[in-house]
Amino acid sequence: MQYFLYIMVAALTIFFIFEIRRSLRRSKKTVELIDKYWLNKQSPQLIDEMFDFAVKDRRLSKIVAKYNADRDDFAMLYDKLMLWADFRKYNRFIPITSFFYAGALEYLLSHKDDDAKSLTEKMLNYFHI
């Protein structure tokens, strides 16, 4: 019984370390993209980098596959978010940050036909801005 508890604690510790690492990698990437493209927000490379990250991430890739999303979907949603949320609050920039969180990305892709204002309001509420 004691060995089982040791194994369980070790497994939970390893899981925690991997999730923290993933979270830090995501945060680093969002801040990097915000800093890199702040003066050139309409750069096509931005959409490419966001889409590539989403496809490589284990959680986000499932959502992208579920909705058969492509770069054009990301570009369309990015443009919709830019209409109402073209501002930065600390290390948050809604048009970029929204694509890196599973809940936000799922909402965006499932409601991609909604109007820009409602999508932006939902993302602002999601990130408590």
Side-chain angles (χ1 to χ4, degrees), residues 9-25:
V9 168
L12 287 174
T13 302
I14 291 169
F15 177 74
F16 176 77
I17 290 170
F18 279 114
E19 288 300 312
I20 290 296
R21 184 173 171 255
R22 180 186 166 277
S23 178
L24 290 173
R25 188 177 43 223

Side-chain angles (χ1 to χ4, degrees), residues 61-94:
S61 63
K62 293 175 186 175
I63 296 168
V64 170
K66 177 180 177 182
Y67 292 101
N68 296 320
D70 57 5
R71 294 179 198 284
D72 294 334
D73 292 332
F74 272 54
M76 178 199 54
L77 290 166
Y78 177 80
D79 290 338
K80 284 185 177 185
L81 293 173
M82 281 294 292
L83 291 175
W84 293 92
D86 188 8
F87 61 89
R88 181 177 181 171
K89 183 174 180 185
Y90 306 114
N91 285 331
R92 301 282 176 153
F93 181 58
I94 296 298

Side-chain angles (χ1 to χ4, degrees), residues 102-119:
L105 182 62
E106 175 116 28
Y107 183 84
L108 286 173
L109 292 175
S110 65
H111 294 88
K112 63 183 170 187
D113 296 326
D114 291 0
D115 64 304
K117 187 173 182 181
S118 67
L119 283 176

Side-chain angles (χ1 to χ4, degrees), residues 36-57:
K36 185 176 179 181
Y37 293 105
W38 182 248
L39 298 176
N40 188 10
K41 298 174 193 164
Q42 296 302 324
S43 175
Q45 289 84 15
L46 171 61
I47 303 299
D48 292 340
E49 287 190 47
M50 290 189 315
F51 185 76
D52 290 342
F53 184 89
V55 169
K56 292 176 186 171
D57 186 77

